[in-house]
Structure formats: structure tokens, C-alpha cells
Amino acid sequence: MSTFTLGQDTFRIYKINSKKHESVSYKRRDYFKISLLTAGTGMMYFSGTPVWVEKATLTFFNPLLAYSWEPTSKTHSGYTVLFTADFLPGPLRRPPLFSPDLIPVYTLDKAAVKDLVFIFEKMIAIDESDYAQKNELLAHYIQLIVHEGLRLQKVPKPMLQNNAAERITRQFFDLLWKQFPVRSPEEVIQLKNPSHYADALNVHINHLNQSIHTISGKNTTWHIQQKLTGEAKMLLMQTDWPVADIAYSLGFEYPSYFNRFFKKQTGLTPLSFRK
């Protein structure tokens, strides 16, 4: 689920074998994307709706669907293919598979993972070849994956209808994600706990907590802690900032508070995790 781009191409395929904690920012893209996650865990957000991923999954993304990815494991592996609309016949780009009103995340059994890994590996080999008609062949394999998604279509979870709880939840996630990533030790996040978010949204904290739990199944504190933990992991692995600076930028008054928080969330101290 690392950050990939299509550039001027109409097709790109990547094999994921990452030992980095790489978040994917919350926004729409101008291409279609299919991801096969074979190992790793994380949290996806589709138009503000969180989806916890802890097993092998096949996920379909389209240009109308805003999404982000926050890994919660230190490593993850799989495949990602990006392509433009021209690669697929019209009927396969229509709802429900690429509908912006669904969360198209499919949990896979071992047999399905094996079949899909074979298809993705074939696409990598074809893409690296000098076969003159490889684009047509690649489009054929994409259609095979799309049909596999259509076969599993009973799995996706429809997005909830617009209501007050969903509206507040989306506003909460918008505020949460706008604070990240932290780009320098001088930046300090301003919204640190559920009360801060309730004040920013002008709602009672109990109403905020109830709305978040109704939509996501998790409480407000859990989501804040998950995001703080993810950002802390990224800063520890990808910067040389002192732990005290990381603690300060993430809103902890004292490094000792951050150390206790991080160890409770991960089982490791920040310095042990960085090693």
C-alpha cells in the first residue's frame, strides 16, 4: 500500500515488499487501482469511513473514491496495479465494483490468494517483456482480476447512508488527517484528545464518541491513538529527530509521557523500535 504514481503511463504494476511504515495520504487519484495485500495490517479510510485490514485482501479503487492507508504492521507485502480508464471495457468500470458508494475490500482465502498472486506475477513478467501486444494481454489479466472481484461481490460493505453520525465521523477524520504528516520538529499538532475534536466540531464530546463508535465500531480515543502511533513509527524510522522532539511535535508535554504511550501501544520503547 505504499505511495505509487502512474505518471504519463497508462499502466504500471508494482510488487510490494516494504519494511517501511509508509502512509498513503487521504485524497482522490486520477487513475484506477487494484491492490492485493498478502501480508500486513492497517487501517483504510474510504471517504471518511474506516476499514480495518488484518487479513489478505483484494481492494479496488477508482478516481471518484477518496481514500488513505495507515499501516499498523512494520512490514507488508503484495501487489499494486495502476491503470487508466482506457484499459478496461466500459461495463467493467460501471457500478457496483468501481462504485463510489461501496467499500470494495474483499477478504481472501488461501486458494484465492494463490490464484491472484499467479495473475499478478504473470502481469509483472509480461510488463517486463518486449512482446508487441503486451498491453492487450495485460488488459486481459486485469479483467480476470475484476471478474474475481465481481465473483466476490457479496463481500463488500455498503457505505452507510448520510446521517448525523456519518457526517460528524467524516468531519472528525478530516480534522484528524489534516494534522499529518508532521514535517518538522517545530510543528506541533493542535488537536490532541477527543475533547479538542469535540470543541472544534462544536458538538458535545459524548455525541462525538457515540457517532464515531456507531460508524466505526471503535471509540474516538482509539482512532487518535492509532494515528499518533502510526505517525510516531514513521518519524522514528524515517527521520533522525531526537525522541524528545518527536514527543513534542506529537503533542506530548514530556518525553516520558510519550515513552509510556508508545510502549503501551507497541510493546517497545521508541529507541528500541528505532533500532
Side-chain angles (χ1 to χ4, degrees), residues 161-217:
Q161 297 297 317
N162 288 330
N163 54 42
E166 184 186 7
R167 175 178 54 79
I168 291 172
T169 300
R170 291 188 179 188
Q171 291 173 342
F172 163 76
F173 281 115
D174 283 343
L175 288 177
L176 178 63
W177 278 85
K178 283 178 181 177
Q179 296 195 102
F180 302 96
V182 178
R183 294 182 173 83
S184 77
E186 288 73 32
E187 288 186 26
V188 181
I189 65 169
Q190 300 301 310
L191 304 177
K192 306 170 186 177
N193 57 53
S195 295
H196 292 163
Y197 285 91
D199 291 343
L201 295 172
N202 197 29
V203 298
H204 193 279
I205 187 171
N206 291 341
H207 185 39
L208 174 64
N209 287 331
Q210 183 178 6
S211 297
I212 299 296
H213 191 272
T214 297
I215 298 299
S216 71

Side-chain angles (χ1 to χ4, degrees), residues 43 52 209 211-223:
M43 179 69 74
W52 174 247
N209 287 331
S211 297
I212 299 296
H213 191 272
T214 297
I215 298 299
S216 71
K218 303 287 186 180
N219 61 37
T220 310
T221 298
W222 186 89
H223 289 292

Side-chain angles (χ1 to χ4, degrees), residues 110-123:
K110 291 182 179 180
V113 171
K114 182 178 179 180
D115 291 343
L116 287 165
V117 166
F118 175 80
I119 293 174
F120 276 94
E121 287 289 347
K122 287 288 291 184
M123 285 198 294

Side-chain angles (χ1 to χ4, degrees), residues 80-92:
T80 289
V81 59
L82 316 178
F83 54 93
T84 62
D86 295 337
F87 249 81
L88 286 182
L92 293 182

Side-chain angles (χ1 to χ4, degrees), residues 68-88:
S68 62
W69 164 253
E70 181 65 45
T72 55
S73 58
K74 295 187 70 172
T75 62
H76 52 284
S77 59
Y79 304 84
T80 289
V81 59
L82 316 178
F83 54 93
T84 62
D86 295 337
F87 249 81
L88 286 182

Side-chain angles (χ1 to χ4, degrees), residues 24-263:
V24 176
S25 60
Y26 182 67
K27 64 179 181 180
R28 293 185 176 92
R29 277 73 177 174
D30 58 359
Y31 49 77
F32 291 86
K33 173 180 172 181
I34 304 175
S35 289
L36 171 64
L37 184 69
T38 57
T41 62
M43 179 69 74
M44 290 187 189
Y45 294 90
F46 294 90
S47 298
T49 301
V51 177
W52 174 247
V53 177
E54 56 183 348
K55 296 181 179 179
T57 57
L58 181 66
T59 307
F60 294 84
F61 308 87
N62 70 78
L64 298 178
L65 186 65
Y67 63 90
S68 62
W69 164 253
E70 181 65 45
T72 55
S73 58
K74 295 187 70 172
T75 62
H76 52 284
S77 59
Y79 304 84
T80 289
V81 59
L82 316 178
F83 54 93
T84 62
D86 295 337
F87 249 81
L88 286 182
L92 293 182
R93 297 196 302 270
R94 295 172 187 165
L97 188 59
F98 286 111
S99 171
D101 298 320
L102 289 176
I103 300 177
V105 181
Y106 303 82
T107 301
L108 305 171
D109 58 26
K110 291 182 179 180
V113 171
K114 182 178 179 180
D115 291 343
L116 287 165
V117 166
F118 175 80
I119 293 174
F120 276 94
E121 287 289 347
K122 287 288 291 184
M123 285 198 294
I124 290 174
I126 293 166
D127 188 45
E128 293 175 348
S129 73
D130 56 2
Y131 177 51
Q133 305 298 319
K134 67 179 181 180
N135 282 352
E136 288 81 357
L137 191 53
L138 289 168
H140 168 72
Y141 278 105
I142 289 177
Q143 289 183 52
L144 287 179
I145 299 173
V146 170
H147 280 293
E148 178 66 11
L150 291 171
R151 187 181 69 81
L152 297 169
Q153 189 181 324
K154 61 182 180 181
V155 176
K157 175 183 177 183
M159 286 188 178
L160 299 175
Q161 297 297 317
N162 288 330
N163 54 42
E166 184 186 7
R167 175 178 54 79
I168 291 172
T169 300
R170 291 188 179 188
Q171 291 173 342
F172 163 76
F173 281 115
D174 283 343
L175 288 177
L176 178 63
W177 278 85
K178 283 178 181 177
Q179 296 195 102
F180 302 96
V182 178
R183 294 182 173 83
S184 77
E186 288 73 32
E187 288 186 26
V188 181
I189 65 169
Q190 300 301 310
L191 304 177
K192 306 170 186 177
N193 57 53
S195 295
H196 292 163
Y197 285 91
D199 291 343
L201 295 172
N202 197 29
V203 298
H204 193 279
I205 187 171
N206 291 341
H207 185 39
L208 174 64
N209 287 331
Q210 183 178 6
S211 297
I212 299 296
H213 191 272
T214 297
I215 298 299
S216 71
K218 303 287 186 180
N219 61 37
T220 310
T221 298
W222 186 89
H223 289 292
I224 296 171
Q225 290 178 343
Q226 287 295 303
K227 187 57 185 169
L228 285 174
T229 303
E231 188 71 10
K233 288 179 177 179
M234 185 186 71
L235 293 174
L236 287 166
M237 288 191 292
Q238 298 185 4
T239 75
D240 58 359
W241 301 358
V243 171
D245 287 353
I246 294 175
Y248 176 73
S249 68
L250 294 179
F252 292 88
E253 188 175 1
Y254 300 106
S256 59
Y257 292 175
F258 172 65
N259 289 343
R260 285 199 294 270
F261 167 82
F262 192 84
K263 187 170 184 179

